[in-house]
Structures are given as C-alpha cells and as structure tokens.
Amino acid sequence: MDAPSGPELLDTWEAGLSAGPADRALLLLGLARAALDAGRLLGTPVGARDADLLTLRARLFGELAQVRLSCDGCAEELEFALDIRQLLPVDGPAEEPDPGTEVAFGAWTVRFPLLTPADLLAVGGAAPAEARSALMERCVLT
C-alpha cells in the first residue's frame, strides 16, 4: 500500500466532512485499497478494513500513535504511546476475505459471515436496539 497523494487526501477529507463514521471509514478504505471497486470495498470484512486503516494511518503519520482517553470507571485521563504494528496481523492483510465461521452444536449448525462495511451502513441510522437486531439478522445465515 502506497501513501496517497496530497490531492487524494484532500478530496477524501472534503468528501468525509458531512459523512458519518462508517462512510468516512469506507472513503479511507478506498484510499488504502485504491485497486478495489466499490462492491469489493463494501464486502471487505470489518477487521480487514480496520487493519488497512491502521496501516494507512501508519504510512501517513508514523507507526507510533499518541493515545489519550478517559477511564469510564474513574474518569482518570490516560496517555500512552501505541505501536500500531502491534495491532496488525503478523502475516499482513489477507488477500481474500475469510468467509466467516461455522459453529455446530448437536443438530444445529449456525454460519456467521464476518461483518462488512455494507452491514454497518445498512444499520447506520437505526437506534441501538434496532441496529443490533438488524445486524443479527444479517449475520446469522442458518
């Protein structure tokens, strides 16, 4: 993956200004995987998307990220450096998406495909309870 050019970054930034988080992630994935068409980008598993976005972040800003967050339990502020390489798959990104997982228990077999950006976009405007239900319907095949 090559770092995108300045104009590509600016175009993506402008396109994402009015977009929601799932749409912005998809725009950035398009930069990270410029060779993929829109259908393949929408079908990329969320874990692979996130690995690509972390790799893009490392190429643009370096492999060390300064992180700051608040603890929900005690409201203490935490600051630390995080090496992005520690979050990425050891073998690099998979070329073909994993078809998901199949679990068998007795007479039951359930297939769970991996979530994709298309799944997240489909439930983006729903209330949390409705979004959970819709994701479950999209993800349990049998």
Side-chain angles (χ1 to χ4, degrees):
M1 170 191 316
D2 294 325
S5 68
E8 289 172 323
L9 279 172
L10 184 58
D11 288 345
T12 303
W13 174 271
E14 289 174 347
L17 284 174
S18 62
D23 290 308
R24 282 194 300 271
L26 194 57
L27 288 168
L28 289 169
L29 182 61
L31 283 179
R33 293 287 182 123
L36 296 183
D37 62 29
R40 295 270 319 260
L41 291 174
L42 285 168
T44 301
V46 170
R49 177 205 65 185
D50 291 351
D52 286 342
L53 295 180
L54 283 170
T55 301
L56 178 64
R57 191 260 179 234
R59 297 221 184 224
L60 292 172
F61 304 109
E63 294 171 342
L64 196 62
Q66 297 299 323
V67 179
R68 182 177 178 171
L69 54 97
S70 296
C71 173
D72 288 338
C74 67
E76 186 70 28
E77 292 287 324
L78 304 171
E79 277 189 65
F80 54 93
L82 179 66
D83 184 345
I84 291 174
R85 293 172 296 185
Q86 293 179 334
L87 302 174
L88 297 173
V90 175
D91 298 331
E95 290 303 314
E96 286 299 316
D98 185 329
T101 301
E102 186 171 285
V103 177
F105 184 76
W108 294 91
T109 300
V110 181
R111 290 185 306 144
F112 301 90
L114 300 175
L115 283 175
T116 67
D119 296 318
L120 299 178
L121 289 170
V123 301
E130 293 170 2
R132 280 191 296 272
S133 178
L135 284 176
M136 185 63 80
E137 287 178 20
R138 293 177 74 90
C139 292
V140 179
L141 298 178
T142 57

